Amino acid sequence: MKFKHIALATLLAPVALLAEEATLSSGDTAWMLVATALVMLMTPAGLALFYGGMTRSKNVLNTMGMSLIAFAVGTLVWVIAGYSIAFGEGDLIGTGKLFLSGIAADTLKGAIPELLFVAFQGTFAAIAVAIASGSMIERVKFSTFTIFSALWILAVYAPITHWAWGGGSTLNFGEMDFAGGTVVHINAGVAGFVVALMLGARKDYGKAAIKPFSPILTVLGAALLWFGWFGFNAGSEVAADGIAASAFLVTMVAGAVGAIGWLLAEWVVYKAPTLIGGASGVVAGLVAITPASGSAGAMGAIIIGLVGGVIGFIGVAKLKKLFKVDDSLDAFWVHGLVGIWGSLATAIFIASYAMKEDYNMISQLGSQAAAIVLTIVYSGLVTALVFYVSSLLTGGGRVDEETEQIGLDETTHGEKAINL
Amino acid sequence: MKFKHIALATLLAPVALLAEEATLSSGDTAWMLVATALVMLMTPAGLALFYGGMTRSKNVLNTMGMSLIAFAVGTLVWVIAGYSIAFGEGDLIGTGKLFLSGIAADTLKGAIPELLFVAFQGTFAAIAVAIASGSMIERVKFSTFTIFSALWILAVYAPITHWAWGGGSTLNFGEMDFAGGTVVHINAGVAGFVVALMLGARKDYGKAAIKPFSPILTVLGAALLWFGWFGFNAGSEVAADGIAASAFLVTMVAGAVGAIGWLLAEWVVYKAPTLIGGASGVVAGLVAITPASGSAGAMGAIIIGLVGGVIGFIGVAKLKKLFKVDDSLDAFWVHGLVGIWGSLATAIFIASYAMKEDYNMISQLGSQAAAIVLTIVYSGLVTALVFYVSSLLTGGGRVDEETEQIGLDETTHGEKAINL
Amino acid sequence: MKFKHIALATLLAPVALLAEEATLSSGDTAWMLVATALVMLMTPAGLALFYGGMTRSKNVLNTMGMSLIAFAVGTLVWVIAGYSIAFGEGDLIGTGKLFLSGIAADTLKGAIPELLFVAFQGTFAAIAVAIASGSMIERVKFSTFTIFSALWILAVYAPITHWAWGGGSTLNFGEMDFAGGTVVHINAGVAGFVVALMLGARKDYGKAAIKPFSPILTVLGAALLWFGWFGFNAGSEVAADGIAASAFLVTMVAGAVGAIGWLLAEWVVYKAPTLIGGASGVVAGLVAITPASGSAGAMGAIIIGLVGGVIGFIGVAKLKKLFKVDDSLDAFWVHGLVGIWGSLATAIFIASYAMKEDYNMISQLGSQAAAIVLTIVYSGLVTALVFYVSSLLTGGGRVDEETEQIGLDETTHGEKAINL
Amino acid sequence: MKKIEAIIKPFKLEDVKEALVEAGITGLTVSEVKGYGRQQGHSEIYRGAEYVVEFIPKIKIEIVVSTDEYADIAIKAIAQAAKTGKIGDGKIFVSTIDSVLRIRTDERNEEAL
Amino acid sequence: MKKIEAIIKPFKLEDVKEALVEAGITGLTVSEVKGYGRQQGHSEIYRGAEYVVEFIPKIKIEIVVSTDEYADIAIKAIAQAAKTGKIGDGKIFVSTIDSVLRIRTDERNEEAL
Amino acid sequence: MKKIEAIIKPFKLEDVKEALVEAGITGLTVSEVKGYGRQQGHSEIYRGAEYVVEFIPKIKIEIVVSTDEYADIAIKAIAQAAKTGKIGDGKIFVSTIDSVLRIRTDERNEEAL
Ligand SMILES: Nc1ncnc2c1ncn2[C@@H]1O[C@H](COP(=O)(O)OP(=O)(O)O)[C@@H](O)[C@H]1O
Ligand SMILES: Nc1ncnc2c1ncn2[C@@H]1O[C@H](COP(=O)(O)OP(=O)(O)O)[C@@H](O)[C@H]1O
Ligand SMILES: Nc1ncnc2c1ncn2[C@@H]1O[C@H](COP(=O)(O)OP(=O)(O)O)[C@@H](O)[C@H]1O
């Protein structure tokens, strides 16, 4: 949302924003109520299904459970301390809003109630750690992941958010990240990769065919993610105005061409466009447009999303094999790698009407790169630390061999995905 | 929504509301259009899946069909007579708006069109009877339930709503019920319990293992319920303002901690946090916060929701066994019992900024208790009467033994949940 | 949306609309952001599930894939050229907005950003061609359908939209089509029928029992369609006002009574109300109300929807057998035939407060009929041409016998709907 | 050694299992099958079409026992527990088994049962 | 008495059933199995991996008949109806059944069929 | 000819198949069954109730071979590959097959295998 402050004045400024005394806009508030609900839906429904459908039948519930618990625990730590760290006062770290102290129902943030802004940003924190869960499935302990979720949001997500959107200028390099390309996607992708590395590969990885439970769930999940992403991107404008409309349209376009890109790539390589590929392409396209959603035009979105879909496929089908890391549901490749593309592309594809006169692409690319590197380094290191602590607290982060082989649904949850 | 009128003046009052002549607010209308759609989704999608997933495979479609028909029939009787009974003029009973007479597209209710208010409130009526269906599954006749839905909304739901939100003061005890803790949840829970008692237990109840068809559906259903509940609670403000924002945030928090509470309780008792438990905990947390959603703060919501989740688990896993009633999907325990907790808690946990200066907790607890007792007594008695009539009209309310044993999907609907 | 311009002045006119200089309304924009998201959800989620659930297990993914690709390709061609053809300047055909040229983030369409209007209308184009896919399932080539989607939107959908909503008066007969009864439903139904005729019947059609994969998906799909239809109908007002509220309420009512009508008809004929029937009835009721949603009152909606449900059932269960055409998922019968009923009913059932003083029902019925005939003829002919071309480009539009027999999920996509 | 294969109605599985356990049978294998016979299937309905489902869900139980006496005991237990007296109750087939091996212990024949 | 077990291609089930009914066979039991043999499985694709599915869906039909003639009739009917001439058409195995019991009536052996 | 029926733990299927292929067995049929025996089932939990699942998922493998030697080879391969040493490893049953027909070619008996 950083970029918003730069570009806003040149565009449609909602009247209220310029008024001397801030007043609540019921239109903006109406939109943000909905946008928050949309982003909320992404985690316990969208991601739970998207990931659950790609998991083996013996672990589907466990995978869905991780999205659910990520949202539950994430929400709790967010209102207790996460929001304060991310959006409290301070240069390197925010303070002063623990337990949401000082925020009443009539406290405003721009033209909307701050309590609503708290909720909106909380849904981002929760989905970030839920995205990372995709790298850990079928072997991480449920207890370990639960603790990890809480710690990661406080120690990794909230600080990075503070630097990008909430705080001072020391660690803000002027990057354009309208809706969380760096903050959410690169961050979560890197975190997932690091944990996958620490956990080690699943026993069957690379040996047996790992069949996804049901592409039906994955497609439905991707559709719900897309639906929610309108809140994610257009909601990041925090107003119902022309930029929100533009962000909405490019979100629609990028998801569409992301699917086309991935399917075309699959068709060239395997002669078979898969549903899981189409769903993954939607997500890749959406990841790619996220940082650019407030600045790119529809034609830029076509390129960003299409390339995003192709890069996602290449990452998953080719580059992944160069590493030995069992990033099980490809959080790094689909969110991290494509997120990097999106962040760089943000500096390149800007709608003519959104570009400032003195815009310098090279220097902006530098800002983007700096933010990417900061995120990778910080997220990589602190995630490792946080996961190490979470493992210690739960007697090791990985289930035993027999549990892995029987499946976590039966062993951890005492349930079965489907009883015919 | 009663409480709203009390607290509103002390908070953010949308400009239009205070204006001499009421005018339509497009922001409030925008929010209420969406809020109504959100609550609508709760019944034929959210509850249908939440309940369907916990039903045995031979009855899944029948269970889902009850939610669908509840919404269909409920909507029909609501516009014909239910709205008039609930929100027409009158002390004990509303009149004058049969067939929505006198309401045109430009008739306002506050700052939104009254037709929209009709739709919003109609979704509440429908979900109430659909919640009660959970107590009756796997044995009630589809025809009986269909007739029951219509009669119950007219004879039970609409009057109780009138007393709480629509009408005079004789049966309104000044209780705080922002979004329907008493009106919807306690009411529906009691109704379900009474019908379960009248129907008798399923043949297999307590004998054979009754396996839920798929926790996947239950989790998805809970996520959609949660999503819709933002409309339910924050929509009950009937405006896009600070109280709506606060109601939104506490809805997010209470669902989250409800899940945590239930899962923790399961983990302590069974050493296994289940997905159905997590989903049930979300619902329990949401039920608990419903009456308090316009007045509690986020920290109050943590307590209300967490305790709600734990009480839900205790009700289902322990208290239920003290009774012989086969409340099959626990409508009473999750909506009734937790609803009582929520109603009492509403008087206890009030955000500092929402509390009136002369607030007296003890007297408010009395009001809450009075409303609870009235609801239990009236709903209990009239539900019994209504179900008795519905059974008479359909030649008995329960399917025969063979039908029960084969399953209602095949016998009543001629369909199968899944054809592999 | 044509009718809106006629009726608007007599109803609630949002202040901004009458103002000399157009300004953005954040309330209207908030609503349209959401309405667009709602309609978007209808295609890759609602229709994909509604159709997927009725497909045999060996083709479920392929059917869902058609909805997904329809939305992806539809969005792409819409922003490139479709929007220009439909909403550009011109009497018979629109021009001047290729690649959305000339539309910036602050360009308004009424009181909302034009970019948002582009997105909103794009979702209509996509769902129209996805509806038609229901007639082609289990035998059309995925590649053929992909190309067909693109061409059909440009050559069939966009021109018809232009005449009804976007353009001059030569081919606009003054018909009332608030939300696309003719433009979307009759059009798509006819297109599906024509392609089904050209493709020929499935090998098993009329021979073997064709079992739907899962009514669960179909019911969930119908619920999501209904949810999205609030955006479809109430969004067609392009404002959050009294007409939008009225359109919302009648959408709720018509879906409800559509289900009741279809289920009653099934119960009379087969003694079994099916879930697929209930879901189909919801859709039939919604199709019927679509053109009338801006003008009918709730009581009119009861008749329109109920009859719509019954006609849908009669079409599918009786009339269809008079033809030899394997309109596999009944796009013509549920969207075309019921759409015709809805279009004629629009002229008959008008809320008293929405009827102009000089309203002449007979002449309006003539306008409706003229628009229906134009749509059938144009859509019928040009769809045939477009499908012929698409077949040519892909070496024939139908898969070979063995592929049909094995199923398209395995052969085309290399996937399986569910791996237990 | 004898193998007993019984085709029964699905909802009788629990009763049959209990009868067998009471009769001293401690091992069995169950599978889901579909039967075609005298019993009429129900009709399913799908959007304007009603069709009869000819294959009816059944459960197959397989039990290998060491002696003819055990076989008789098992047959009697199954027949009694599975009977409803209505068409479709199912059949019991008996055949001969040449040898048995318990994988875990390498025990053979009678000892393996 | 003889038991005939046939492994066939799933889409041939309807044809085989009709051929059997025409040949006078009125009872049979069907189950879903997976076969491994000469027939090559198709490949499935999953996010950057293509793997061959070696186990191919097949249908197993079991029929118990009273005489060798009936067995021959049934075998002929199945073989004819199930044949496509392509690899994977399946096999028919015949074995001996010692006794049969119809649960509903307690009829035994030939009478039970 | 002999028929070998083996009940094994599901996760051992891949290993057993490979062992059989290495031993020269090129055809087999697999089905999903549920077993009841000494092995204790796990417990499932459902809203305030914990119950033991008595029927445990197993895989049944059926192989028809032409000679007793082949039968021994197959049994050995299965027994070795399926063994974990824990309760529930399963059993192998051997019986006699009277005749075999390959549907595709009408070959009979040994030639059909
Ligand atoms: N000849 C047969 N061979 C194999 N299975 C049979 C045979 N006859 C019947 N069955 C099985 O037994 C079941 C019950 O048979 P059916 O004729 O319907 O009733 P009943 O057992 O009462 O005579 C059938 O569904 C089928 O699975
Ligand atoms: N020796 C065997 N024992 C058991 N089943 C077998 C055997 N050989 C083949 N089958 C079954 O028969 C099916 C067809 O065999 P396959 O070798 O693929 O083709 P064909 O029947 O044309 O020779 C296999 O999928 C398997 O189910
Ligand atoms: N007498 C029997 N007849 C048929 N199947 C049996 C028999 N005994 C055991 N089985 C099958 O073998 C499986 C393993 O048997 P079990 O007693 O649990 O362990 P183990 O094989 O180690 O002795 C059972 O689950 C069941 O499927």
Side-chain angles (χ1 to χ4, degrees), chain C residues 298-312:
Chain C
M299 297 308 128
I302 293 178
I303 299 168
I304 294 176
L306 197 71
V307 174
V310 174
I311 289 182

Side-chain angles (χ1 to χ4, degrees), chain C residues 235-277:
Chain C
S236 286
E237 170 65 1
V238 199
D241 59 17
I243 295 177
S246 177
F248 190 107
L249 180 64
V250 298
T251 301
M252 186 163 138
V253 169
V257 294
I260 293 172
W262 192 302
L263 289 171
L264 276 178
E266 275 190 331
W267 187 74
V268 167
V269 174
Y270 297 121
K271 295 284 166 235
T274 69
L275 272 282
I276 286 188

Side-chain angles (χ1 to χ4, degrees), chain C residues 54-376:
Chain C
M54 290 194 282
T55 306
R56 280 180 291 182
S57 59
K58 63 183 179 180
N59 294 314
V60 175
L61 297 179
N62 183 256
T63 295
M64 294 183 72
M66 285 200 273
S67 287
L68 183 64
I69 204 71
F71 191 82
V73 166
T75 296
L76 181 59
V77 300
W78 185 253
V79 296
I80 289 176
Y83 182 74
S84 183
I85 297 172
F87 290 96
E89 296 293 315
D91 180 24
L92 289 179
I93 205 76
T95 54
K97 297 191 170 178
L98 286 179
F99 300 99
L100 307 185
S101 70
I103 312 177
D106 58 358
T107 310
L108 294 188
K109 178 92 178 178
I112 70 162
E114 184 166 359
L115 288 176
L116 182 53
F117 188 74
V118 171
F120 183 67
Q121 291 295 334
T123 59
F124 279 56
I127 201 171
V129 74
I131 288 170
S133 78
S135 309
M136 319 173 192
I137 62 156
E138 302 202 313
R139 59 198 187 287
V140 76
K141 274 189 198 160
F142 195 66
S143 53
T144 309
F145 178 74
T146 302
I147 291 174
F148 174 78
S149 297
L151 298 181
W152 188 84
I153 285 176
L154 297 178
V156 180
Y157 181 83
I160 289 181
T161 301
H162 189 71
W163 307 331
W165 293 338
S169 55
T170 305
L171 288 175
N172 184 303
F173 309 118
E175 71 269 20
M176 293 161 66
D177 185 3
F178 190 73
T182 310
V183 170
V184 173
H185 295 288
I186 301 179
N187 185 4
V190 168
F193 195 81
V194 166
V195 175
L197 188 68
M198 294 171 75
L199 276 172
R202 289 166 293 174
K203 279 183 57 180
D204 293 342
Y205 180 63
K207 286 169 204 156
I210 294 186
K211 295 193 193 178
F213 174 62
S214 174
I216 296 173
L217 300 187
T218 300
V219 170
L220 176 57
L224 292 175
L225 284 172
W226 201 348
F227 180 61
W229 224 296
F230 292 119
F232 201 93
N233 285 354
S236 286
E237 170 65 1
V238 199
D241 59 17
I243 295 177
S246 177
F248 190 107
L249 180 64
V250 298
T251 301
M252 186 163 138
V253 169
V257 294
I260 293 172
W262 192 302
L263 289 171
L264 276 178
E266 275 190 331
W267 187 74
V268 167
V269 174
Y270 297 121
K271 295 284 166 235
T274 69
L275 272 282
I276 286 188
S280 303
V282 166
V283 172
L286 293 168
V287 167
I289 201 66
T290 294
S293 55
S295 48
M299 297 308 128
I302 293 178
I303 299 168
I304 294 176
L306 197 71
V307 174
V310 174
I311 289 182
F313 174 75
I314 294 173
V316 164
K318 303 289 169 198
L319 305 181
K320 185 179 177 180
K321 287 173 185 157
L322 306 178
F323 295 75
K324 289 249 174 305
V325 179
D326 177 14
D327 177 2
S328 315
L329 298 180
D330 307 310
F332 177 72
W333 303 104
V334 174
H335 295 269
L337 180 68
V338 176
I340 292 172
W341 153 249
S343 182
L344 298 175
T346 300
I348 303 172
F349 302 95
I350 303 184
S352 55
Y353 51 80
M355 200 185 292
K356 283 188 301 173
E357 275 175 36
D358 61 346
Y359 180 74
N360 181 323
M361 190 189 298
I362 302 303
S363 92
Q364 187 62 46
L365 276 169
S367 301
Q368 301 299 106
I372 293 169
V373 170
L374 172 65
T375 302
I376 292 175

Side-chain angles (χ1 to χ4, degrees), chain D residues 27-29 62 64 102 104, chain F residues 35 38-39 58 88-91:
Chain D
L28 50 90
T29 300
E62 288 169 274
V64 175
R102 167 175 280 134
R104 170 167 50 97
Chain F
R38 281 166 220 206
Q39 189 188 357
K58 298 279 171 189
D89 274 355
K91 309 222 184 312

Side-chain angles (χ1 to χ4, degrees), chain F:
Chain F
M1 289 162 295
K2 294 291 173 190
K3 177 188 194 179
I4 297 152
E5 279 180 280
I7 313 289
I8 62 166
K9 289 186 171 165
F11 75 93
K12 281 292 191 183
L13 173 58
E14 200 61 27
D15 292 353
V16 169
K17 190 215 74 189
E18 270 167 37
L20 284 166
V21 170
E22 264 173 46
I25 307 289
T26 56
L28 49 91
T29 300
V30 160
S31 48
E32 289 173 11
V33 298
K34 283 179 181 162
Y36 178 88
R38 281 166 220 206
Q39 189 188 357
Q40 294 291 324
H42 64 284
S43 47
E44 290 191 0
I45 294 165
Y46 171 53
R47 266 225 193 152
E50 193 176 4
Y51 55 86
V52 174
V53 176
E54 292 178 317
F55 292 103
I56 299 165
K58 298 279 171 189
I59 290 284
K60 188 211 266 191
I61 300 180
E62 287 169 274
I63 309 164
V64 175
V65 293
S66 48
T67 61
D68 284 9
E69 288 100 82
Y70 264 120
D72 284 346
I73 291 174
I75 292 167
K76 211 169 278 172
I78 297 171
Q80 227 165 342
K83 186 179 296 186
T84 68
K86 294 202 198 131
I87 282 191
D89 274 355
K91 309 222 184 312
I92 302 177
F93 306 124
V94 182
S95 57
T96 302
I97 288 288
D98 303 341
S99 74
V100 177
L101 176 79
R102 167 177 278 136
I103 294 173
R104 169 166 51 94
T105 56
D106 288 325
E107 286 163 298
R108 293 198 166 255
N109 299 340
E110 280 72 13
E111 280 162 29
L113 291 169

Side-chain angles (χ1 to χ4, degrees), chain B residues 24 26 29-30 33-34 36-37 40 49 61 71-72 76 99 104-106 113 115 119 213 412-413 415-420, chain C residues 12 25 27-28 31 34 57 211-216 226-227 230 240 242 245 248 252 256 272-276 299 353 418 420:
Chain B
L24 182 140
S26 69
T29 302
L33 285 165
V34 185
T36 309
M40 172 270 169
L49 292 173
L61 298 179
F71 191 82
L76 181 59
F99 301 99
D106 58 357
L115 288 176
F213 174 61
T412 301
H413 306 292
E415 290 175 297
K416 217 164 160 306
I418 193 159
N419 285 301
L420 292 175
Chain C
L12 284 174
S25 155
D28 294 346
W31 166 232
V34 185
S57 59
K211 295 193 193 178
F213 174 62
S214 174
I216 296 173
W226 201 348
F227 180 61
F230 292 119
F248 190 107
M252 186 163 138
T274 69
L275 272 282
I276 286 188
M299 297 308 128
Y353 51 80
I418 192 158
L420 293 173

